[in-house]
Each structure stands twice: as structure tokens, then as C-alpha cells.
Amino acid sequence: MGVIQKIALVVTIIGAINWGLIGIFDFNLVAYIFGDGSVVSRVIYSLVFITGLFNIALLFMRNRHQIMDEV
């Protein structure tokens, strides 16, 4: 696993933890730390979004390589 993949995974996990806190406790950790709607909060949400898309791409790329290995 490359460095970019590890960074994307860590950011996605942080986003998942934040969403878990929102869903279970109605507590938004990012908004609490950086302010609701602040520029920093929006950057963090955008990074989580981008890394989520990156991880989706990795999922499909990994499956494509496994299929090619089996053939």
C-alpha cells in the first residue's frame, strides 16, 4: 500500500468516525473543533470527500487486477 493510499485511508477513517459521532450522539467533532461552516471545516469535509472518491477508485482498480490475475 502506497503512502497516498495510506493517507487517503486515514482521512476516510477520520471522516467515518465523525459521521459515527453525528449519527450516534448528534455531535459533529469537526464543527466543534473548527467552527460550524468555517473555511477549515469545509476544507476537511472536502478532503474526506476526495479521499472517499479515491478509495472507491482503489476498490475498483484492485478488483480489476484480481480478475486479471485469476485469468
Side-chain angles (χ1 to χ4, degrees), residues 5 54-66:
Q5 292 172 338
F54 183 77
N55 284 327
I56 290 171
L58 287 176
L59 176 69
F60 288 112
M61 286 173 48
R62 184 169 292 149
N63 285 340
R64 190 180 76 207
H65 290 304
Q66 287 175 350

Side-chain angles (χ1 to χ4, degrees), residues 1 4 6 9-11 24 30 39 44 48 51 53 55 57:
M1 183 181 288
I4 294 175
K6 288 181 182 178
L9 183 60
V10 168
V11 172
I24 297 170
V30 174
V39 174
I44 291 171
V48 171
T51 58
L53 293 177
N55 284 327

Side-chain angles (χ1 to χ4, degrees), residues 8-30:
L9 183 60
V10 168
V11 172
T12 304
I13 291 169
I14 291 169
I17 290 170
N18 191 56
W19 275 109
L21 290 172
I22 292 169
I24 297 170
F25 301 111
D26 195 26
F27 176 72
N28 187 338
L29 184 62
V30 174

